[in-house]
Amino acid sequence: MLKANESRIVFLRQDESAIETGPIVVGVGANGLIGVNSDNLFQASLDNNHYSEAVICNDSQIITAQNMNAVNGQVMAKSKQFSFMPQTTTYLQVSLSDTGIPVVQQIAPNQAKSMLTQSTRQTHQISRVFIECSTPKPVVIQPTVIVPTQPPAQNLPIRNERQFTVLFDF
């Protein structure tokens, strides 16, 4: 059961092409590259014909997908902002374009449920998406009081003159 300020995302990957590609890394809250060890961002390294789900805070979130190009080793990433309604499940299909760039698009629940029957839940990875949807308490910041000070009336003598002569002795 989702709390009043939570949403569920289901990431689905079903690639119809015969070309075998590696997993697509999916993350929440990152606008750019996601490392597998990135705390608070990494959700799954999604294999073909698999799905993964995450509970997140509702409202607007950035979803990022990335893939490594098998030919030249270049990492291709694509980020997109989605709005998530409270206490709802949103289905996002993750795929690759013809040029190898990851694509994330929202799909209808009926289409997603049909795809889910042909997919396996991916459970071999631990999601690192951090969920703390409670309303933050306002922080009261006390004003800083600046006390003016007077400069010394006279210059103070140097206590260890040898230290300075060593630094500047040529």
Side-chain angles (χ1 to χ4, degrees):
M1 183 79 177
L2 295 171
K3 295 179 184 173
N5 53 356
E6 292 179 340
S7 297
R8 177 179 288 110
I9 306 174
V10 178
F11 297 101
L12 297 129
R13 180 169 179 212
Q14 262 191 0
D15 192 1
E16 301 292 329
S17 71
I19 300 171
E20 184 63 32
T21 60
I24 298 175
V25 177
V26 181
V28 177
N31 192 8
L33 298 181
I34 308 163
V36 173
N37 294 323
S38 296
D39 286 338
N40 305 334
L41 305 174
F42 175 78
Q43 169 58 25
S45 187
L46 203 55
D47 291 320
N48 196 18
N49 297 319
H50 284 76
Y51 72 94
S52 178
E53 61 183 298
V55 174
I56 61 166
C57 301
N58 64 292
D59 207 7
S60 184
Q61 297 277 359
I62 295 173
I63 305 298
T64 300
Q66 72 185 37
N67 181 50
M68 182 181 293
N69 186 316
V71 176
N72 62 14
Q74 181 181 7
V75 176
M76 311 287 261
K78 188 73 171 179
S79 297
K80 190 173 180 182
Q81 193 154 355
F82 290 90
S83 292
F84 299 101
M85 301 302 296
Q87 295 184 320
T88 60
T89 299
T90 303
Y91 299 93
L92 299 178
Q93 182 177 16
V94 180
S95 59
L96 294 175
S97 70
D98 293 337
T99 58
I101 298 174
V103 177
V104 180
Q105 62 184 8
Q106 187 171 348
I107 57 175
N110 291 341
Q111 181 185 1
K113 289 174 185 174
S114 171
M115 291 172 67
L116 284 171
T117 61
Q118 303 165 20
S119 300
T120 304
R121 184 175 185 187
Q122 190 159 313
T123 58
H124 65 273
Q125 294 168 324
I126 298 171
S127 171
R128 289 182 179 86
V129 176
F130 178 71
I131 305 162
E132 180 54 54
C133 299
S134 60
T135 310
K137 296 178 183 175
V139 177
V140 178
I141 300 174
Q142 298 297 328
T144 305
V145 178
I146 300 174
V147 179
T149 59
Q150 296 294 327
Q154 62 182 4
N155 291 336
L156 299 174
I158 297 174
R159 293 185 184 159
N160 187 356
E161 287 185 28
R162 282 186 285 168
Q163 177 183 4
F164 292 103
T165 56
V166 170
L167 290 175
F168 299 102
D169 191 21
F170 295 106

Short mmCIF file of all heavy atoms in Angstrom, two decimals, residues 12 24 65-66 78 80 92-98 100-105:
data_model
loop_
_atom_site.label_atom_id
_atom_site.label_comp_id
_atom_site.label_asym_id
_atom_site.label_seq_id
_atom_site.Cartn_x
_atom_site.Cartn_y
_atom_site.Cartn_z
N LEU A 12 9.82 -1.38 -17.56
CA LEU A 12 9.70 -2.59 -18.38
C LEU A 12 10.66 -2.49 -19.55
O LEU A 12 10.81 -1.43 -20.15
CB LEU A 12 8.29 -2.70 -18.95
CG LEU A 12 7.17 -2.87 -17.94
CD1 LEU A 12 6.08 -1.87 -18.20
CD2 LEU A 12 6.64 -4.26 -18.08
N ILE A 24 20.29 -2.07 -19.84
CA ILE A 24 20.13 -0.62 -19.80
C ILE A 24 20.05 -0.23 -18.33
O ILE A 24 19.22 -0.74 -17.58
CB ILE A 24 18.86 -0.17 -20.54
CG1 ILE A 24 18.93 -0.57 -22.02
CG2 ILE A 24 18.67 1.33 -20.41
CD1 ILE A 24 17.68 -0.26 -22.80
N ALA A 65 18.10 6.86 -18.26
CA ALA A 65 18.48 5.53 -18.75
C ALA A 65 19.78 5.68 -19.51
O ALA A 65 19.99 6.68 -20.20
CB ALA A 65 17.38 4.98 -19.66
N GLN A 66 20.65 4.70 -19.37
CA GLN A 66 21.92 4.76 -20.10
C GLN A 66 22.32 3.38 -20.58
O GLN A 66 21.95 2.37 -19.99
CB GLN A 66 23.01 5.39 -19.25
CG GLN A 66 23.51 4.54 -18.11
CD GLN A 66 24.50 5.28 -17.24
OE1 GLN A 66 24.37 6.46 -17.00
NE2 GLN A 66 25.49 4.57 -16.75
N LYS A 78 20.12 9.24 -21.55
CA LYS A 78 18.98 10.10 -21.85
C LYS A 78 18.19 10.30 -20.58
O LYS A 78 17.85 9.33 -19.88
CB LYS A 78 18.10 9.44 -22.93
CG LYS A 78 17.03 10.32 -23.45
CD LYS A 78 17.60 11.39 -24.35
CE LYS A 78 16.48 12.14 -25.04
NZ LYS A 78 16.97 13.18 -25.89
N LYS A 80 14.79 12.26 -18.71
CA LYS A 80 13.47 12.83 -19.01
C LYS A 80 12.74 13.05 -17.70
O LYS A 80 12.84 12.23 -16.78
CB LYS A 80 12.70 11.87 -19.91
CG LYS A 80 11.43 12.44 -20.48
CD LYS A 80 10.82 11.47 -21.49
CE LYS A 80 9.56 12.00 -22.09
NZ LYS A 80 8.95 11.05 -23.03
N LEU A 92 6.75 2.64 -17.19
CA LEU A 92 7.69 3.25 -18.11
C LEU A 92 8.41 2.16 -18.89
O LEU A 92 9.02 1.26 -18.30
CB LEU A 92 8.72 4.10 -17.34
CG LEU A 92 8.16 5.27 -16.54
CD1 LEU A 92 9.28 5.99 -15.79
CD2 LEU A 92 7.42 6.25 -17.43
N GLN A 93 8.32 2.25 -20.20
CA GLN A 93 9.01 1.28 -21.05
C GLN A 93 10.39 1.85 -21.39
O GLN A 93 10.53 2.99 -21.80
CB GLN A 93 8.22 1.03 -22.33
CG GLN A 93 8.88 -0.01 -23.22
CD GLN A 93 8.05 -0.32 -24.46
OE1 GLN A 93 7.14 0.42 -24.82
NE2 GLN A 93 8.37 -1.42 -25.09
N VAL A 94 11.41 1.01 -21.21
CA VAL A 94 12.78 1.38 -21.49
C VAL A 94 13.22 0.60 -22.72
O VAL A 94 13.07 -0.63 -22.76
CB VAL A 94 13.69 1.05 -20.29
CG1 VAL A 94 15.12 1.44 -20.57
CG2 VAL A 94 13.18 1.71 -19.03
N SER A 95 13.74 1.30 -23.71
CA SER A 95 14.18 0.64 -24.94
C SER A 95 15.35 1.42 -25.52
O SER A 95 15.78 2.42 -24.96
CB SER A 95 13.02 0.54 -25.94
OG SER A 95 12.54 1.84 -26.25
N LEU A 96 15.84 0.95 -26.66
CA LEU A 96 16.91 1.62 -27.37
C LEU A 96 16.41 2.08 -28.73
O LEU A 96 15.67 1.36 -29.41
CB LEU A 96 18.11 0.69 -27.58
CG LEU A 96 18.86 0.26 -26.33
CD1 LEU A 96 19.94 -0.75 -26.68
CD2 LEU A 96 19.47 1.45 -25.62
N SER A 97 16.83 3.28 -29.13
CA SER A 97 16.49 3.76 -30.47
C SER A 97 17.39 3.03 -31.48
O SER A 97 18.28 2.27 -31.11
CB SER A 97 16.71 5.27 -30.56
OG SER A 97 18.10 5.56 -30.50
N ASP A 98 17.15 3.28 -32.75
CA ASP A 98 17.97 2.65 -33.80
C ASP A 98 19.44 3.07 -33.70
O ASP A 98 20.32 2.35 -34.13
CB ASP A 98 17.43 3.01 -35.19
CG ASP A 98 16.07 2.39 -35.44
OD1 ASP A 98 15.75 1.37 -34.78
OD2 ASP A 98 15.32 2.91 -36.28
N GLY A 100 20.97 3.55 -30.83
CA GLY A 100 21.52 3.05 -29.57
C GLY A 100 21.30 3.95 -28.38
O GLY A 100 21.83 3.69 -27.30
N ILE A 101 20.53 5.02 -28.55
CA ILE A 101 20.24 5.93 -27.44
C ILE A 101 19.06 5.39 -26.66
O ILE A 101 18.04 5.03 -27.24
CB ILE A 101 19.95 7.35 -27.97
CG1 ILE A 101 21.20 7.89 -28.68
CG2 ILE A 101 19.53 8.27 -26.83
CD1 ILE A 101 20.99 9.21 -29.37
N PRO A 102 19.17 5.33 -25.33
CA PRO A 102 18.05 4.84 -24.53
C PRO A 102 16.82 5.75 -24.66
O PRO A 102 16.93 6.96 -24.78
CB PRO A 102 18.58 4.88 -23.09
CG PRO A 102 20.06 4.92 -23.23
CD PRO A 102 20.34 5.63 -24.52
N VAL A 103 15.66 5.12 -24.63
CA VAL A 103 14.39 5.82 -24.71
C VAL A 103 13.54 5.38 -23.54
O VAL A 103 13.42 4.18 -23.27
CB VAL A 103 13.66 5.50 -26.04
CG1 VAL A 103 12.31 6.17 -26.10
CG2 VAL A 103 14.51 5.89 -27.24
N VAL A 104 12.95 6.34 -22.82
CA VAL A 104 12.03 6.04 -21.72
C VAL A 104 10.71 6.70 -22.07
O VAL A 104 10.65 7.90 -22.30
CB VAL A 104 12.55 6.59 -20.37
CG1 VAL A 104 11.58 6.27 -19.26
CG2 VAL A 104 13.93 6.04 -20.06
N GLN A 105 9.65 5.89 -22.13
CA GLN A 105 8.34 6.45 -22.44
C GLN A 105 7.27 5.81 -21.56
O GLN A 105 7.35 4.63 -21.23
CB GLN A 105 8.01 6.28 -23.92
CG GLN A 105 7.92 4.84 -24.37
CD GLN A 105 7.70 4.73 -25.86
OE1 GLN A 105 7.76 5.72 -26.58
NE2 GLN A 105 7.45 3.53 -26.34
#
